[in-house]
Amino acid sequence: PILSFWDGTAATGNASSRFATGTTCSLTGLTIDPRTRTIAGYCGATVYIYRSSHEGQQSTPDALETWNVFATMPTAGDITCLEYSAEGTYLAAGDVTGIVTVWSTESYELAPQTMSSSNPVDSLRFRIDDTLAVGDSSGMVSLLLYDPSLAKPKAVAHPDWKKEATQFVRRLSTVPSFEPDTGVVGLCNLEFFGSVPVGDTSIEVPVDTALGNSTHFIVFTRSTLVEQTSPASHLIDDADGSVSSVLIPDRDLDTAEIGGTMSWSEPAPGIGRDRVEYYALYLATSSTGEGRSQVGTLLDAGTTNSLLPAGTNLRDFSHLVVYTKSLLTEQTTPAFVDLVDTVSYVSNISFPDFDLDHDDLGGTVSWSHPDDTTHVTSYAVYLALPLQEAYSIGLCANLSLSSGSDSGSDEADDSDYFTAVPGLAVVGNTAWCRGPHVGNTSIDANHSDQFEILPDLQLSPYSHLLVYATSSLEEQTTPVVLEVYDMNASVSNVRFQGKDLDIDHLGGRLTWEEPELMERVQSYFVYLAESSAGAARWQVEDEIPATVTYLDVPPETLKLSFNHFSVYTKSALVEQTTPVSLAFFDEFAMASNMSFVDEDLDEAELGGNLTWYPPEDSSEVTDYLIYLAEDASGENRSFVATVPIGTNDLFIPADTPLEAFTHLTVFARSSLAEQTTPMSLVIVDSIASVSTVRLIDLDLDEGDLGGVATWSLPATNQERVEAYYVYLSTREDATGDRSMIGDAKLPGTAQQTVHENTDKSDYSHLLVFTKSVLAEQSTPVAFTLSDTASPVSNVSFPDFDLDATDLGGNLTWLPPDELTYVEYYHVYMAIAAEDSDVANVTSDVDGVPFTDRLYLGALVPGDELLVVPPETPLANYTHYLVYTSSSLAEQTTPVSLRIEDINASASAVSFVDQDLDEGELGGNVTWVEPTDHEGRLEVYRMYLHQGPLAGADREKIEEDVAVDTDLTAMAPDTRQSGYSHLAVYTVSSLVEQTTPASMLLDDTVSRPFNLSFPDLDLDLGQLGGDLSWAEPEDTSQVTHYVVYFAEELGANDTACV
């Protein structure tokens, strides 16, 4: 078969597409998916789905479109109609069997389906809301609505397709309806009910008349000819007066008994409810009310519940039925509910007694919940005793069992007909006297299945536990029974050996034997108590595991008023209340007669021998522990030493710090612990330190000490001092480097000589130690050293003796800053040696050694000037040395001054004698001035003297010549007087030099000789002629000759006239 398509928009009449259907039969009908290029067709009982090759893509004009079979789906019968929904979501097919099959087009899987009727489906039509109208061959149209919230793709009939409305289309055989505004077109399926003669206007409808599918009463009038075709009709309003939701939750938890609140919902509002007058409740053997037995009385309309008493015998009833009753009659079809007998007995009751005392209970009663706990609200637990045993001890004597026997006996027996009465219980064939109520436990969301019996619950005289389940209605009458096993687990054979040696203190190992039954013993507790019953008890240490059968009682445990150890066992639940006890004996051991003499003479330091007597009973003593402590009880003690038993003394080494300790304590110790209450001795600290130590340093050199160290003897304990030791130290205590001064000083001595030139080095303190027979002090008395350094300063010496190697002038200096101990200044001249190995080194200044000192003199402070006489020979001396000296010694390190010898002599003295007489001198004297006289040259002075050197035979000539002059005139006619030299002296403000510059005199004699004068003027008294002479041998200074007339002086004349 071929399927052809035409393009409705094309002008041509040719098919736009053709393809083979792939079926063996011709397609009977087609429908097109409005959304996609999909065609559905059917043939017989099969639907074929065809899809275009252009599905899902745009096609071009030139594209060749092909169609292929996408899916095939079978139906129940031959298909009569096929329809897509408006949105293409569903595809529906109707068939001859009356079944409508629906597929989801998303995958063409089955959606839930429905039957429209038993008639073949003629037509299908989807509305816009996907409601499907189905018409069948009977003329009935059904509207089917698909609910998406319930949809599941199942190939079965499903109520999700709901009949929303059904309309009957009038056929030719229907009766037309003439009732206005009813919306009913006609009535059909008429069923004859009865006829009434003219004159009657009613007909009785019997009770329980079946309504069937009828909706109306139709009343026809009938003539002798014919029954009318247009009757009067009455819509039947079927009065439904049945209750609903009948409930009877059985809250009687016993077997074959029922009880609880019966409840129901009243009929729906309407004429049915309006016509209900009463409710009647029955227990019945079926749901229709057979074998029923009324419960209570009739209940008025409006009532919705009633109580069925607990203990109601269920017998063979299976249902609770509820009838409504009108003024006419009681219903024949009741509402009902199946009776369910709630049986809620616990099982597997267990009670491990964790109260380990005899006749005391404690622990958890546990059980398995009933299979049905729906109505269980709580459980109740009681103590109980078999009734016969109870009677024997006078319990439950006023109670008896109701019996089904005819004997009339009030006593319990093994009858099967016993019935429980309050205070008694019957379980099987056994009656129980119920004792005290132990307690209740509420059932909660976790279904509590246990009850905690608090410890110390007395068991006697009872022997069993009863467990009842309880509902909101009532407690069971038949409990579950458990025999109680009373656990008794106490220790035995308790022993204690005391090893705490203090009085009223306990310590040692407490031992016991474990109970015979250990299964529930979890641990032990030990107490000190004032009686064997544990009165006024006090717990010792923590809980002890059950595997341990001893307790090491800590030392120093106070005995107080306790006289017993009490040992309790403890289960997982609780500790015993009845212990096993032991009376104990307090062990005591203490040293006595302590003695100690402190031979360490330092304050707050100890040293010496400590002795004591042993305790009277030392059987438990293993050794002694010696401590320093802050009080007699050993507070804040410090360990000194351990002394073995048998030794009763201890040497305490010197320098043991006393700190804040006031006592020496001896603690005895056992194998357990040392005692806490010792024997003690107040410490008397022997202090024998000197005081007011002083050293006045009389060695005036810096870095050198000298003098006498003095101190005051100790104020106390002098008798313990054997010697005094004096040291120089780098610290004020004994920890620094130190050097001993001299030998040890005997007791009573209060000074030590410190020799001059003692090197101070890095020492900062003078320490004085006392020494006992034990040791030298470790804490001396210190004196801070003060190094007396008294050097002079600013030594100055300007040499005013202008001769080379001669000195003269004032040597001056400034006094020392520290002048207290200076008694003299000593001044020397000395030679600076070339190296330190030169012999006779007497002083060393700044590393320069000096030898061959020449003492110049001593001065007292305040006189800081020494006159160095002129012409003091310099010799080889290079320096002046100025020492200070104290009452102890002269300095060894003076202040030095290099000697600067001023040589200020004239030189190159020159004199040419221009006095031409023999033995007479005259002319200019010149010289070269000295270049460096530092202003000390004041004048030049000239002498004639015999020889070149200064001597006593000399004669001063001319006046002094001022400095800065190198020429002076010697007056003519200066007589030479036998002197051989002319000397030029330099003169300072102090002195004239003694080593002048001189020159050998050369007396210029230029006398003409051989004078001749022949007087050629022959007059008396008149002369005339040439006076002639011979020239002198030396004419170097002669410039001309001068001729004079002269008168001869007579022999007797003394002067010229």
Side-chain angles (χ1 to χ4, degrees):
I2 300 299
L3 184 61
S4 300
F5 289 91
W6 284 265
D7 185 355
T9 63
T12 177
N14 298 325
S16 61
S17 179
R18 294 173 181 268
F19 63 91
T21 62
T23 62
T24 58
C25 60
S26 297
L27 296 177
T28 306
L30 295 172
T31 183
I32 299 175
D33 187 340
R35 297 176 306 164
T36 64
R37 298 176 71 83
T38 301
I39 299 172
Y42 62 89
C43 174
T46 303
V47 175
Y48 295 86
I49 305 300
Y50 300 93
R51 279 199 174 166
S52 169
S53 60
H54 291 170
E55 173 64 21
Q57 64 182 15
Q58 184 179 9
S59 60
T60 63
D62 297 332
L64 179 62
E65 185 177 23
T66 62
W67 294 79
N68 299 300
V69 177
F70 174 76
T72 59
M73 294 89 73
T75 60
D78 288 346
I79 299 170
T80 58
C81 50
L82 189 66
E83 179 79 0
Y84 273 107
S85 65
E87 295 297 325
T89 308
Y90 304 103
L91 176 65
D95 63 33
V96 296
T97 65
I99 294 177
V100 176
T101 305
V102 181
W103 294 271
S104 168
T105 59
E106 184 175 351
S107 60
Y108 285 94
E109 293 183 353
L110 283 174
Q113 62 184 6
T114 186
M115 285 194 182
S116 63
S117 72
S118 60
N119 299 314
V121 176
D122 284 345
S123 62
L124 299 170
R125 182 70 64 191
F126 276 100
R127 299 199 309 190
I128 192 67
D129 61 353
D130 285 348
T131 300
L132 180 63
V134 181
D136 65 15
S137 61
S138 70
M140 184 173 69
V141 176
S142 299
L143 295 179
L144 306 179
L145 177 64
Y146 180 68
D147 185 354
S149 67
L150 303 175
K152 292 184 180 178
K154 302 286 185 180
V156 295
H158 195 283
D160 294 345
W161 288 90
K162 301 174 182 178
K163 178 181 287 187
E164 181 181 88
T166 302
Q167 294 179 335
F168 293 90
V169 180
R170 184 169 64 88
R171 305 178 67 185
L172 292 177
S173 59
T174 61
V175 176
S177 173
F178 298 101
E179 301 294 332
D181 302 324
T182 62
V184 179
V185 177
L187 301 171
C188 58
N189 296 327
L190 278 63
E191 181 181 348
F192 179 76
F193 177 72
S195 64
V196 178
V198 174
D200 289 340
T201 58
S202 66
I203 187 171
E204 181 181 359
V205 180
V207 174
D208 300 330
T209 298
L211 178 60
N213 292 325
S214 299
T215 61
H216 290 71
F217 282 112
I218 302 174
V219 181
F220 290 85
T221 59
R222 185 174 183 180
S223 69
T224 57
L225 174 64
V226 67
E227 181 180 281
Q228 70 181 156
T229 58
S230 300
S233 64
H234 175 72
L235 178 65
I236 298 173
D237 188 357
D238 185 12
D240 182 6
S242 295
V243 301
S244 60
S245 303
V246 180
L247 295 174
I248 171 62
D250 179 19
R251 288 182 167 79
D252 185 307
L253 307 180
D254 290 302
T255 302
E257 293 181 0
I258 192 167
T261 299
M262 302 172 289
S263 64
W264 56 91
S265 296
E266 288 194 280
I271 60 172
R273 177 190 290 189
D274 295 341
R275 292 170 185 170
V276 173
E277 294 289 329
Y278 303 103
Y279 298 113
L281 281 67
Y282 299 88
L283 294 178
T285 59
S286 72
S287 62
T288 57
E290 283 83 1
R292 66 181 181 262
S293 173
Q294 186 170 352
V295 178
T297 61
L298 293 178
L299 302 174
D300 292 335
T303 305
T304 58
N305 62 77
S306 180
L307 179 65
L308 180 64
T312 299
N313 195 334
L314 187 60
R315 295 189 292 178
D316 58 348
F317 298 123
S318 60
H319 290 78
L320 171 69
V321 293
V322 180
Y323 292 81
T324 56
K325 187 174 182 179
S326 68
L327 292 176
L328 173 65
T329 185
E330 183 179 275
Q331 277 183 313
T332 57
T333 306
F336 67 89
V337 65
D338 293 344
L339 292 175
V340 178
D341 183 15
T342 301
V343 180
S344 297
Y345 294 112
V346 301
S347 59
N348 299 325
I349 300 181
S350 171
F351 174 65
D353 179 19
F354 280 91
D355 187 308
L356 305 182
D357 291 306
H358 172 66
D359 201 35
D360 282 350
L361 300 182
T364 301
V365 184
S366 63
W367 52 83
S368 297
H369 286 294
D371 294 335
D372 184 359
T373 60
T374 306
H375 301 300
V376 178
T377 59
S378 63
Y379 301 101
V381 181
Y382 295 85
L383 288 172
L385 185 67
L387 188 58
Q388 292 293 349
E389 295 181 28
Y391 283 162
S392 68
I393 60 174
L395 293 177
C396 293
N398 59 339
L399 299 177
S400 61
L401 293 173
S402 299
S403 174
S405 67
D406 296 330
S407 64
S409 173
D410 290 336
E411 294 188 359
D413 56 25
D414 292 334
S415 170
D416 291 337
Y417 301 101
F418 286 151
T419 302
V421 297
L424 300 181
V426 178
V427 179
N429 296 328
T430 304
W432 299 88
C433 172
R434 194 168 77 178
H437 177 228
V438 177
N440 289 347
T441 177
S442 298
I443 190 166
D444 54 21
N446 297 320
H447 287 194
S448 176
D449 56 359
Q450 61 186 26
F451 175 75
E452 189 76 22
I453 294 180
L454 297 179
D456 303 328
L457 175 66
Q458 182 177 333
L459 174 61
S460 63
Y462 302 99
S463 58
H464 290 70
L465 290 172
L466 304 181
V467 180
Y468 294 80
T470 303
S471 70
S472 60
L473 178 63
E474 192 172 70
E475 182 180 282
Q476 281 180 317
T477 57
T478 304
V480 179
V481 182
L482 173 68
E483 183 177 4
V484 175
Y485 175 72
D486 180 21
M487 175 60 68
N488 180 16
S490 295
V491 303
S492 59
N493 199 20
V494 180
R495 295 182 178 181
F496 175 69
Q497 178 60 54
K499 290 185 178 292
D500 188 303
L501 307 179
D502 294 306
I503 191 167
D504 291 333
H505 283 187
L506 300 176
R509 176 161 287 191
L510 180 74
T511 62
W512 58 86
E513 292 181 7
E514 65 183 22
E516 292 183 9
L517 297 175
M518 287 291 293
E519 60 188 276
R520 290 177 193 156
V521 177
Q522 177 176 287
S523 58
Y524 303 101
F525 281 86
V526 177
Y527 294 85
L528 285 167
E530 294 183 2
S531 73
S532 60
R537 68 183 187 176
W538 178 81
Q539 185 177 337
V540 182
E541 294 298 292
D542 297 325
E543 188 172 359
I544 302 166
T547 56
V548 178
T549 57
Y550 65 87
L551 170 66
D552 287 325
V553 178
E556 304 178 31
T557 299
L558 295 177
K559 176 180 177 294
L560 301 177
S561 59
F562 301 123
N563 49 33
H564 284 76
F565 280 110
S566 295
V567 182
Y568 293 75
T569 56
K570 180 182 178 298
S571 67
L573 173 66
V574 72
E575 175 185 296
Q576 277 185 312
T577 56
T578 305
V580 176
S581 297
L582 172 72
F584 55 76
F585 171 74
D586 182 18
E587 192 77 32
F588 172 67
M590 180 181 288
S592 61
N593 292 337
M594 291 177 63
S595 175
F596 174 72
V597 176
D598 179 21
E599 296 290 352
D600 187 305
L601 304 181
D602 290 306
E603 184 176 7
E605 290 185 358
L606 301 178
N609 201 44
L610 172 68
T611 62
W612 62 90
Y613 287 174
E616 291 182 8
D617 179 7
S618 59
S619 58
E620 296 296 333
V621 178
T622 59
D623 51 21
Y624 303 101
L625 300 179
I626 314 303
Y627 294 90
L628 288 165
E630 293 184 4
D631 62 16
S633 66
E635 186 71 18
N636 296 328
R637 61 183 179 266
S638 174
F639 178 73
V640 176
T642 301
V643 179
I645 188 70
T647 301
N648 302 312
D649 66 325
L650 172 68
F651 176 72
I652 297 177
D655 303 331
T656 299
L658 181 58
E659 297 177 355
F661 303 121
T662 58
H663 289 73
L664 279 164
T665 57
V666 178
F667 288 77
R669 182 166 66 176
S670 68
S671 58
L672 171 67
E674 71 182 60
Q675 65 185 165
T676 57
T677 305
M679 175 56 69
S680 64
L681 176 68
V682 174
I683 298 170
V684 178
D685 183 15
S686 295
I687 304 171
S689 294
V690 301
S691 60
T692 58
V693 176
R694 292 188 64 196
L695 171 63
I696 297 175
D697 180 19
L698 296 178
D699 187 308
L700 306 181
D701 290 305
E702 184 175 6
D704 286 347
L705 301 175
V708 176
T710 61
W711 56 87
S712 297
L713 296 176
T716 60
N717 299 301
Q718 285 192 40
E719 70 278 5
R720 303 198 187 282
V721 178
E722 291 211 335
Y724 299 98
Y725 289 84
V726 182
Y727 295 87
L728 292 174
S729 174
T730 58
R731 294 174 61 95
E732 64 180 348
D733 54 27
T735 63
D737 294 334
R738 56 181 171 162
S739 173
M740 184 173 176
I741 300 174
D743 298 326
K745 293 299 179 181
L746 296 176
T749 305
Q751 64 179 35
Q752 173 68 281
T753 299
V754 180
H755 296 289
E756 68 269 18
N757 302 325
T758 297
D759 187 8
K760 181 177 179 297
S761 187
D762 294 328
Y763 301 122
S764 58
H765 289 78
L766 180 76
L767 307 182
V768 180
F769 293 77
T770 57
K771 180 182 179 299
S772 68
V773 293
L774 175 65
E776 178 183 284
Q777 278 185 311
S778 60
T779 306
V781 177
F783 173 75
T784 302
L785 291 173
S786 175
D787 181 14
T788 304
S790 298
V792 301
S793 60
N794 294 341
V795 179
S796 173
F797 176 71
D799 182 16
F800 282 90
D801 187 310
L802 305 181
D803 293 306
T805 72
D806 281 350
L807 303 175
N810 293 332
L811 179 65
T812 62
W813 56 88
L814 293 178
D817 294 333
E818 175 54 69
L819 198 60
T820 306
Y821 305 112
V822 177
E823 292 193 350
Y824 294 99
Y825 303 112
H826 295 275
V827 183
Y828 297 83
M829 293 176 68
I831 299 172
E834 294 182 357
D835 59 67
S836 59
D837 292 331
V838 175
N840 300 319
V841 171
T842 57
S843 295
D844 189 311
V845 180
D846 297 329
V848 178
F850 292 94
T851 63
D852 300 322
R853 290 189 307 175
L854 175 64
Y855 185 67
L856 298 181
L859 294 92
V860 296
D863 187 2
E864 283 79 30
L865 181 149
L866 176 70
V867 176
V868 179
E871 302 179 23
T872 297
L874 177 60
N876 292 324
Y877 298 111
T878 60
H879 290 74
Y880 287 113
L881 303 181
V882 181
Y883 296 78
T884 57
S885 68
S886 67
S887 60
L888 175 67
E890 178 184 280
Q891 282 183 311
T892 56
T893 306
V895 176
S896 65
L897 176 69
R898 177 172 288 278
I899 300 172
E900 298 294 336
D901 180 20
I902 295 296
N903 182 9
S905 294
S907 60
V909 177
S910 176
F911 171 71
V912 176
D913 182 19
Q914 293 180 320
D915 185 311
L916 304 181
D917 292 305
E918 183 177 4
E920 290 183 356
L921 303 174
N924 290 327
V925 180
T926 64
W927 58 88
V928 175
E929 288 193 285
T931 57
D932 184 13
H933 55 77
E934 298 185 5
R936 296 174 195 167
L937 174 59
E938 292 191 350
V939 294
Y940 298 100
R941 187 171 292 161
M942 290 177 295
Y943 289 88
L944 294 176
H945 55 74
Q946 188 63 42
L949 300 179
D953 188 10
R954 66 175 183 169
E955 180 181 345
K956 181 177 182 291
I957 60 172
E958 303 301 327
E959 296 297 325
D960 292 342
V961 179
V963 70
D964 297 329
T965 302
D966 58 0
L967 179 149
T968 188
M970 183 188 296
D973 302 325
T974 298
R975 296 189 65 80
Q976 185 173 0
S977 301
Y979 296 113
S980 61
H981 286 74
L982 173 65
V984 178
Y985 289 77
T986 56
V987 180
S988 69
S989 61
L990 173 66
V991 69
E992 173 187 286
Q993 70 177 160
T994 57
T995 53
S998 62
M999 65 168 290
L1000 183 64
L1001 288 173
D1002 184 7
D1003 182 17
T1004 302
V1005 179
S1006 298
R1007 174 183 290 178
F1009 61 93
N1010 295 329
L1011 271 70
S1012 174
F1013 177 66
D1015 183 14
L1016 297 182
D1017 184 329
L1018 300 178
D1019 292 311
L1020 181 63
Q1022 293 184 349
L1023 301 176
D1026 290 325
L1027 178 63
S1028 61
W1029 56 83
E1031 284 189 331
E1033 293 180 4
D1034 181 3
T1035 60
S1036 60
Q1037 297 301 319
V1038 178
T1039 59
H1040 56 276
Y1041 298 102
V1042 180
V1043 181
Y1044 291 87
F1045 286 104
E1047 180 180 353
E1048 182 178 1
L1049 181 64
N1052 294 322
D1053 293 330
T1054 59
C1056 290
V1057 178

